[in-house]
Amino acid sequence: MENDMQFDLVSPERSLASMDATSVQIPGADGDMTVMADHAPTITTLRPGVLKVDAGGTTHEFVVTGGFAEIGQSGVSVLAERAVARADVTQGDMDAMMDEAQDSYDRAKAAAQGDAGPVDDAAKLLADMVAVGSEIGLSPKQPNL
């Protein structure tokens, strides 16, 4: 269609999606953004969240934990650290993602030596993971801050 753009989602394990999309909602590190055809070229980092793709009258949702999105003339390419179709995320998956975020926070806190920046970043990651769990209807573990 005339207002469609190419969308590709790739994680280190595999290619998860490649389709013509009408719009893509991206959980950007600086805030959510919606990309449509003819969007200005942009590169943004991702925060943990739900990436939503409108394609052919259907919305496809993916849980991402970070990565990058490149928006260009031909469409959107997302390179995710981890990406799973929302429908495939189990409570065990959510628990594992929370454990990784908690471990990252604990390591940052132990290594901080007065530098709050990495600790704040890790705390933000934990908060984002709690928000993801709430958004997709799974119970996030309570973080130990």
Side-chain angles (χ1 to χ4, degrees), residues 9-92:
L9 173 60
V10 179
S11 73
E13 296 85 29
R14 63 190 169 119
S15 173
L16 278 92
S18 182
M19 63 187 82
D20 287 333
T22 305
S23 68
V24 179
Q25 294 177 335
I26 298 171
D30 294 326
D32 291 350
M33 63 188 300
T34 300
V35 178
M36 299 175 83
D38 299 323
H39 192 285
T42 306
I43 294 178
T44 187
T45 55
L46 304 177
R47 71 171 199 298
V50 179
L51 185 138
K52 298 176 184 178
V53 183
D54 290 325
T58 303
T59 299
H60 304 270
E61 297 182 325
F62 302 91
V63 173
V64 296
T65 60
F68 298 90
E70 180 181 10
I71 303 157
Q73 294 292 336
S74 60
V76 180
S77 295
V78 175
L79 307 170
E81 291 173 3
R82 177 185 292 176
V84 180
R86 178 180 175 167
D88 295 340
V89 179
T90 65
Q91 185 63 54

Side-chain angles (χ1 to χ4, degrees), residues 81-104:
E81 291 173 3
R82 177 185 292 176
V84 180
R86 178 180 175 167
D88 295 340
V89 179
T90 65
Q91 185 63 54
D93 295 330
M94 187 71 226
D95 291 346
M97 288 186 274
M98 283 297 300
D99 287 344
E100 288 176 24
Q102 182 69 54
D103 183 56
S104 177

